[in-house]
Amino acid sequence: MQDKSGPEEFDVVIVGRGPVGATLANLLGLCGLRTLVLEREARTYHLPRAVHFDDECMRVFQTIGLADAVLPHVILSPGMLFLDADGKMLLDWSRPQTLTPMGWNLSYRFHQPDLEDVLIAGLARWPHVSLRSRCDVFALDQDENGVRVRYEDLSNGQLSEVRASYVIGCDGARSLVRRVIGSGMDDLGFHERWLVIDVLLKRERDDLGDYSLQHCDPRRPATYVRGTGSRRRWEITVLPDEDSNDVAQPTKVWELLSRWITPDDAELERAAVYTFHSIIAQQWRNGRLLLAGDSAHQTPPFLGQGMCAGIRDAANLAWKLASVIRGGADASLLDTYQSERQPHVREFIELAIRLGGVINTKAIEAGLAAGQPRENAPVKLEVKKPLLGPGLVLGDLPLAGHLAPQFTLKDGSRSDDRIGYSHLLIVESATRFAHPRAGINILTSDDAEGIGPWLREHGIAAALVRPDRYIPGAARNDAELDRLIATIAPPIHVPSAA
Ligand SMILES: O=C(O)/C=C/c1cccc(O)c1
């Protein structure tokens, strides 16, 4: 709608209301930014897509006050096993069933429409955040003051425009925003067709198990993932001479599934061929336009990290947008978004490609280089989270680019809930390290029993934690602490959503 006073104005327009766009909108809502989400589709896409997220994502959902609403829709994942064509275990990627330092479990399975519904319902808490569905953005024109966003309301064909200080493209693999930015793509070399089959069990099949399975059979590599409720997924390689339409026909699908399941046990919910890509946009920002999620990067699914990367983008970007739009930080702060996130996501994609090599078995030796195979024993796989790339991180300081742990405070609450989406200084004692640049939340060893031991374990006197829970660096002395504090002008203060 446009009245005589000109187009409506927003701090941020988000194009796309998938899990990344909706998470970003919740974070911006928390930061108090006037945010409009424009989504082409009428409602949540009802079929499964992403099925796995990790502890770091759950921590972001905690930050936006939605972890309790998400929890009923997830199951814990015990991990993934890689089996050769004879069923012998090659790689064991079990996940501990205890809480990680993030304060959550390492690995969750979910049904994407359930998560999207929770995230979208969460937007109603922010009066300054609006969602407009069936609105198809067709033009973005930026000038020095903002971006003119034009869109068509597909329900009635009306054309509208709004203005925004920034536009974020969470608009997926075929992103319009990426096209307007004019970004090329870095190709990491993996492009394979896989048939993705989702079934709904008609009766219990406990024998299928809770582990995800990678069937490393060179004749026809396949993945099995246990979903929530009665949902089960298989992903099966499409052979070079096969036609994508033919392999997705029910008769062929049941033939391919026959070694695991038959129509007596389950009904097909969806079978479609997807080409899994490994690509990263070269340019994530052009002035007031930025990319997040699949518009910026796409990964083969073997690590279950595709959506996680997008949620990390949102957590990295939202506080920087708030700092620039509300806190008076220079817009160049937004350049640290790509420089920090791109190497991080690249490392995950490269590992996913190496695992794809294991699944294809052709490159099994290379894949097993992830660990030392012992005679007749599976290799234990442990996936370490990459570090943030260069940006605000002071690489010469301890813990730079690592995630900070979440502490249980002496009153039983959790540190993220106390701190909100804000900067935090963790110190042994507030008196020694109370910093003249006041306004930063401080936690000391008086607040949580874990803090003193954690500082001593890392040989540090203080650690700075950003709103996205990453540590730009830790300090061994006052001079290092001064350097750290200087990186965060102005600190952002966003209370807890919990
Ligand atoms: O880690 C898990 O439990 C599942 C990961 C996953 C999900 C979807 C497709 C895959 O190849 C792996």
Side-chain angles (χ1 to χ4, degrees):
M1 281 291 231
Q2 191 176 333
D3 64 22
K4 290 188 216 89
S5 58
E8 276 178 285
E9 301 217 353
F10 294 90
D11 294 315
V12 179
V13 165
I14 298 171
V15 185
R17 173 228 44 190
V20 177
T23 299
L24 181 61
N26 275 288
L27 284 162
L28 297 177
L30 188 57
C31 293
L33 297 191
R34 296 167 305 157
T35 302
L36 172 65
V37 185
L38 294 171
E39 164 60 42
R40 198 179 184 288
E41 300 302 326
R43 59 187 66 84
T44 302
Y45 184 67
H46 69 287
L47 292 174
R49 279 166 295 161
V51 290
H52 173 267
F53 66 77
D54 64 14
D55 51 347
E56 194 181 341
C57 289
M58 195 51 135
R59 200 172 174 188
V60 176
F61 301 144
Q62 178 191 358
T63 296
I64 55 177
L66 295 177
D68 286 344
V70 169
L71 272 175
H73 300 288
V74 302
I75 55 171
L76 296 185
S77 163
M80 185 184 284
L81 308 176
F82 294 67
L83 311 176
D84 72 9
D86 301 322
K88 189 176 133 230
M89 200 197 305
L90 299 168
L91 267 180
D92 174 358
W93 184 20
S94 291
R95 323 275 156 81
Q97 296 300 292
T98 49
L99 297 186
T100 74
M102 300 296 100
W104 295 99
N105 284 89
L106 185 55
S107 193
Y108 298 90
R109 306 235 186 81
F110 73 109
H111 180 52
Q112 185 170 329
D114 293 340
L115 176 67
E116 289 188 22
D117 286 347
V118 169
L119 294 171
I120 289 161
L123 296 179
R125 298 168 300 165
W126 320 113
H128 45 282
V129 176
S130 324
L131 166 64
R132 293 180 193 160
S133 296
R134 300 223 65 199
C135 287
D136 186 26
V137 176
F138 62 86
L140 299 165
D141 302 287
Q142 57 173 325
D143 54 40
E144 64 278 14
N145 299 317
V147 188
R148 180 184 182 209
V149 181
R150 282 179 286 165
Y151 62 92
E152 178 181 351
D153 183 336
L154 298 175
S155 65
N156 57 21
Q158 279 205 345
L159 304 185
S160 298
E161 74 176 75
V162 297
R163 282 191 67 82
S165 298
Y166 287 90
V167 172
I168 318 300
C170 301
D171 49 347
R174 295 190 182 86
S175 169
L176 168 86
V177 182
R178 190 179 64 226
R179 241 179 299 138
V180 177
I181 285 178
S183 174
M185 303 302 278
D186 278 339
D187 181 349
L188 277 60
F190 183 101
H191 307 278
E192 283 188 8
R193 289 183 306 158
W194 284 61
L195 175 63
V196 178
I197 306 161
D198 288 293
V199 308
L200 295 166
L201 290 183
K202 294 195 266 193
R203 60 179 188 223
E204 292 291 331
R205 280 292 312 270
D206 291 344
D207 56 309
L208 292 170
D210 293 339
Y211 276 87
S212 298
L213 299 176
Q214 298 288 7
H215 297 280
C216 309
D217 181 344
R219 288 162 301 180
R220 177 85 82 174
T223 305
Y224 162 76
V225 183
R226 194 225 140 108
T228 55
S230 63
R231 291 203 151 76
R232 303 292 182 270
R233 171 176 292 182
W234 279 269
E235 296 176 354
I236 300 178
T237 310
V238 178
L239 303 179
D241 60 345
E242 282 174 330
D243 180 283
S244 294
N245 287 322
D246 292 348
V247 287
Q249 297 309 309
T251 317
K252 180 68 180 174
V253 169
W254 284 118
E255 181 194 317
L256 290 168
L257 289 178
S258 60
R259 55 187 277 215
W260 301 292
I261 198 159
T262 70
D264 288 341
D265 288 341
E267 62 181 270
L268 291 182
E269 187 180 30
R270 176 267 301 264
V273 172
Y274 288 83
T275 304
F276 297 152
H277 293 291
S278 57
I279 43 178
I280 306 181
Q282 287 158 352
Q283 191 183 349
W284 295 23
R285 174 180 177 225
N286 177 345
R288 295 173 176 277
L289 309 178
L290 294 106
L291 304 175
D294 284 2
S295 64
H297 41 75
Q298 289 153 53
T299 179
F302 312 121
L303 279 170
Q305 277 290 331
M307 187 192 81
C308 300
I311 302 293
R312 287 188 182 95
D313 292 345
N316 184 295
L317 181 57
W319 67 273
K320 293 176 182 173
L321 284 168
S323 297
V324 170
I325 293 169
R326 284 288 152 82
D330 192 89
S332 61
L333 175 64
L334 299 174
D335 288 329
T336 66
Y337 164 59
Q338 175 174 356
S339 67
E340 291 181 350
R341 285 288 309 131
Q342 191 181 46
H344 190 285
V345 72
R346 189 182 187 103
E347 211 173 311
F348 264 132
I349 296 174
E350 286 172 348
L351 181 58
I353 293 171
R354 286 207 297 281
L355 282 184
V358 176
I359 298 159
N360 277 307
T361 320
K362 296 168 202 132
I364 197 150
E365 283 79 20
L368 290 178
Q372 281 305 311
R374 278 170 288 126
E375 198 70 10
N376 289 326
V379 174
K380 278 261 182 208
L381 181 67
E382 224 180 293
V383 174
K384 289 214 173 74
K385 292 217 170 88
L387 300 184
L388 273 192
L392 299 174
V393 166
L394 299 180
D396 60 321
L397 295 187
L399 294 180
H402 287 262
L403 277 159
Q406 173 162 214
F407 296 99
T408 301
L409 305 181
K410 285 186 177 160
D411 64 4
S413 63
R414 296 180 181 230
S415 54
D416 289 3
D417 291 337
R418 166 93 65 92
I419 299 310
Y421 186 54
S422 303
H423 287 91
L424 162 69
L425 192 59
I426 302 175
V427 291
E428 179 75 52
S429 128
T431 46
R432 186 161 166 235
F433 281 100
H435 202 274
R437 295 265 287 283
I440 301 168
N441 297 291
I442 293 185
L443 282 179
T444 75
S445 46
D446 289 338
D447 293 306
E449 271 161 18
I451 287 181
W454 181 74
L455 292 169
R456 286 190 287 281
E457 178 192 338
H458 295 287
I460 53 177
L464 183 64
V465 183
R466 314 186 323 180
D468 56 11
R469 320 301 178 201
Y470 279 87
I471 301 175
R476 289 158 291 208
N477 50 49
D478 286 359
E480 288 180 345
L481 182 58
D482 281 339
R483 283 179 58 210
L484 275 174
I485 300 289
T487 65
I488 59 161
I492 76 153
H493 274 290
V494 178
S496 166

